[in-house]
Amino acid sequence: MSAPPPDGGTPVTCHRLIHIYPTGSGDVVALSGVDLHIAAGEMLALVGPSGSGKSTPVAILGGLMRPSAGRAYVGEHDLSRLSARQLAALRGAVVGTVLQGAERNLLPYVSLTRNVWLAQRPAARLPGRRLDPPEAILELVGLAGAGGRRVGELSPGQRQRAALAQGLAAGPGLLLVDEPTSQLDGPGRDEVLAALETVNAERGTTVVVVTHDGEVGARLGRAVTIRDGRVGAEGRDGREFAVVAGDGTLQLPPETLAAFPPGTLFAVEHTDRTVTLRAEVDPTSARAAAPGEPTEA
């Protein structure tokens, strides 16, 4: 597969995505039927605590692992049908991935300009592919004039922006960034988010950020919460919504579950544009009955 140069942002679609990690003590379900669509040029945050499964979609979309079941599409590419060589070509030209921990993405013994140049080499071999010079990419993320410096000479915020430059080296249509602000203070976090916003505005790059920080999700405009391996909620422009999954399930927000525990019965009323859930059982007495145990009404 020869990966063509992306035209602006690259869309993403996940359909019933499942991923299971085998461990010595048994299988761990990281994703349990995730449905997600990200439009070309959109910015999105995948939000959730450690162990929620939020980093797994990024590893799959970046071609670093294959899903156990379901489908993941980057543009027109069905990742489950690509060979290892084709996935490598996709990573080299269409998808840029920035791993958690800036230093994992950068070579400490060469300059920032050299880091970006080395990351460009796979895409530079593609026929007709034109790439920006490393200095222009560093300027895009707010590191103009820093090309001669090495990683050890940078502040934490600068290191993370340098890692973004490495991820952008090949001009990808999709940029995947795992926890870019987890080790930064407030000013450092703002530097990195401003760089991502600049990349999105000037290049049209689709940006997906994994984070445990709800404020980061709010800043990006659209935030999808991953809870127990499923899409638990979605925030858009300050409003939070529950999401109906492809199998018809609906995860209620934690605060709603606290007021209406398992076993609560809801009447569902809907019109063409509105759905209303009305509790029919006293939530203080409602609970899930054990097998063979009568339910209380």
Side-chain angles (χ1 to χ4, degrees):
M1 179 189 73
S2 61
D7 182 14
T10 300
V12 169
T13 299
C14 299
H15 180 65
R16 304 284 182 89
L17 202 60
I18 295 172
H19 192 73
I20 300 172
Y21 291 101
T23 69
S25 57
D27 292 340
V28 175
V29 180
L31 298 179
S32 182
V34 168
D35 293 288
L36 183 65
H37 178 71
I38 307 168
E42 189 172 12
M43 297 186 75
L44 177 137
L46 291 175
V47 183
S50 297
S52 63
K54 64 183 183 300
S55 292
T56 304
V58 164
I60 292 172
L61 294 172
L64 302 176
M65 63 172 60
R66 295 183 184 274
S68 301
R71 288 284 186 264
Y73 296 88
V74 172
E76 74 278 14
H77 304 290
D78 182 348
L79 301 187
S80 63
R81 298 182 182 276
L82 299 185
S83 67
R85 183 175 181 178
Q86 289 171 325
L87 286 173
L90 198 74
R91 289 195 299 270
V94 178
V95 181
T97 302
V98 181
L99 303 174
Q100 184 176 356
E103 292 79 1
R104 295 176 64 192
N105 303 274
L106 300 165
L107 297 174
Y109 47 83
V110 297
S111 68
L112 297 188
T113 296
R114 189 75 172 175
N115 266 284
V116 176
W117 179 81
L118 289 169
Q120 289 181 322
R121 293 181 68 186
R125 300 188 185 103
L126 296 174
R129 190 66 176 266
R130 294 188 300 275
L131 300 173
D132 290 330
E135 294 78 11
I137 297 171
L138 290 168
E139 181 177 359
L140 182 68
V141 299
L143 290 174
R149 301 170 70 182
R150 297 187 180 187
V151 176
E153 303 172 42
L154 305 177
S155 70
Q158 289 173 325
R159 291 180 189 179
Q160 190 62 62
R161 283 185 281 150
L164 294 181
Q166 187 272 346
L168 290 166
L174 172 64
L175 179 65
L176 307 170
V177 191
D178 194 356
E179 292 284 10
T181 64
S182 61
Q183 299 177 354
L184 302 180
D185 57 14
R189 180 187 66 180
D190 291 341
E191 288 177 13
V192 171
L193 292 179
L196 287 170
E197 290 166 342
T198 299
V199 168
N200 177 258
E202 295 191 7
R203 299 288 182 87
T205 307
T206 305
V207 178
V208 179
V209 177
V210 172
T211 182
H212 66 275
D213 188 343
E215 293 185 19
V216 173
R219 172 97 173 242
L220 296 185
R222 182 185 175 197
V224 171
T225 300
I226 303 295
R227 213 167 46 227
D228 299 324
R230 290 176 173 266
V231 173
E234 182 167 328
R236 295 196 182 204
D237 300 321
R239 298 182 65 195
E240 186 167 340
F241 302 89
V243 181
V244 178
D247 61 0
T249 58
L250 178 72
Q251 285 202 30
L252 297 177
E255 59 272 17
T256 303
L257 285 175
F260 300 96
T264 304
L265 302 182
F266 284 91
V268 182
E269 301 172 353
H270 64 88
T271 63
D272 289 343
R273 300 183 61 86
T274 303
V275 175
T276 301
L277 301 180
R278 187 181 68 252
E280 294 285 346
V281 175
D282 179 2
T284 61
S285 64
R287 59 187 178 86
E293 178 182 354
T295 58
E296 299 178 4

